Amino acid sequence: MSAALFFAWWKSSLSQPAINFFNYKLQFPVNRVVDYTDYMALTVLPMVYKLRHEGCMNFVHKLAAVVVAGVSLFAFCATTCRGYYPSRMSTEVYMYNSYKTTLTENQVFKRLDSLKLRYKKDSVKANEIYTYDSIFYLQKDSVTGITNRVVLPTKNTVVYARYKTSPFIEVYNVPAENEMIPVVTFGYFARKGKSRIEISSITLDSLQYSRYVKEPALERRYKKMLENLLIKQLQ
């Protein structure tokens, strides 16, 4: 039961504060993908429980279980993180909050226009590359056709990775009580009668971000401000 509860918590947005704590407070990179279809894996637990309590496992079965568990552990845990990876912008905070809406995407845009908010829809991001060792890129020689690895100095060097993602909408300079949120990023997902808006992240200025890192409770405050001042206008 505890394994099922932990898995359900980990694969939901409820685990985001803990992930933020590891990433921002401890500077220990942790990530996961919120995917509720992964809950299908929980269907094996009743079978495991039944087999365990029926006492039908002899020595061979137990030995095979240990071997399979060892191979599985190696397969899932023996991967090494790359020396660099496209990540969030330096002051971007992940949110993962979903809300129902009765508006179409065009109506959402018109509502943003009526609120006099600047926005854009895109499917390409350019995020800073965080590195643990060296930064490099691959360059193909036009004469020999050989691809060489070119290493860049880590000091005074910032590299951005451009990559495609699912369509998203960025809204700029969103008023929030007595301050301004520089960027709010959300996705619009259209389904018949069940369209939803999913806020994926907010990008803060350096002062806001430094306060956010020191005060985890600010995440709930930003969430409430967005719900009251933006989301209600888009539902």
Side-chain angles (χ1 to χ4, degrees):
M1 179 61 73
S2 58
L5 291 175
F6 176 81
F7 185 80
W9 169 79
W10 177 251
K11 296 298 294 184
S12 74
S13 59
L14 296 176
S15 61
Q16 193 61 42
I19 293 173
N20 290 342
F21 175 79
F22 277 96
N23 286 328
Y24 307 142
K25 289 283 189 180
L26 303 182
Q27 296 296 306
F28 183 82
V30 176
N31 200 1
R32 62 85 181 80
V33 176
V34 176
D35 186 355
Y36 296 113
T37 60
D38 287 346
Y39 287 169
M40 293 175 62
L42 297 176
T43 58
V44 304
L45 292 181
M47 292 182 283
V48 173
Y49 181 84
K50 186 173 185 299
L51 289 172
R52 180 182 177 186
H53 286 272
E54 282 185 352
C56 60
M57 293 184 67
N58 55 32
F59 175 77
V60 175
H61 289 155
K62 290 180 180 179
L63 180 62
V66 172
V67 173
V68 171
V71 172
S72 300
L73 182 65
F74 178 81
F76 284 107
C77 299
T79 55
T80 302
C81 290
R82 299 176 66 181
Y84 69 95
Y85 53 94
S87 186
R88 58 176 176 81
M89 297 297 287
S90 58
T91 59
E92 186 178 7
V93 177
Y94 293 127
M95 303 291 284
Y96 298 115
N97 296 315
S98 185
Y99 307 90
K100 293 180 180 179
T101 179
T102 58
L103 304 181
T104 65
E105 188 175 57
N106 285 334
Q107 288 173 329
V108 168
F109 293 150
K110 289 180 180 178
R111 191 66 58 85
L112 291 173
D113 288 332
S114 69
L115 295 171
K116 294 181 169 38
L117 292 174
R118 190 166 58 90
Y119 63 88
K120 76 169 182 178
K121 181 180 178 180
D122 208 337
S123 60
V124 176
K125 289 189 176 183
N127 284 0
E128 184 178 343
I129 292 178
Y130 290 77
T131 178
Y132 294 115
D133 38 56
S134 60
I135 302 175
F136 69 89
Y137 65 92
L138 300 178
Q139 184 180 62
K140 188 174 183 179
D141 191 295
S142 60
V143 178
T144 64
I146 299 174
T147 300
N148 300 307
R149 172 171 157 162
V150 181
V151 180
L152 299 174
T154 54
K155 287 188 176 181
N156 303 319
T157 302
V158 179
V159 177
Y160 288 84
R162 184 173 181 270
Y163 63 98
K164 284 192 173 183
T165 182
S166 56
F168 61 91
I169 300 164
E170 286 185 342
V171 185
Y172 305 102
N173 298 324
V174 178
E177 294 182 357
N178 59 344
E179 59 183 309
M180 193 86 71
I181 299 177
V183 184
V184 176
T185 304
F186 66 87
Y188 178 88
F189 301 90
R191 293 179 181 174
K192 192 173 182 180
K194 294 183 180 179
S195 297
R196 60 191 176 89
I197 291 172
E198 186 174 289
I199 295 182
S200 56
S201 68
I202 59 174
T203 302
L204 308 174
D205 62 34
S206 56
L207 182 60
Q208 290 170 326
Y209 186 76
S210 63
R211 290 203 312 264
Y212 172 84
V213 171
K214 295 175 184 176
E215 303 174 44
L218 283 177
E219 181 172 350
R220 292 192 296 272
R221 180 168 170 262
Y222 280 123
K223 177 184 175 182
K224 286 295 181 185
M225 286 193 297
L226 288 174
E227 288 176 349
N228 294 329
L229 302 173
L230 180 64
I231 298 301
K232 284 184 179 179
Q233 306 295 326
L234 304 178
Q235 289 182 310

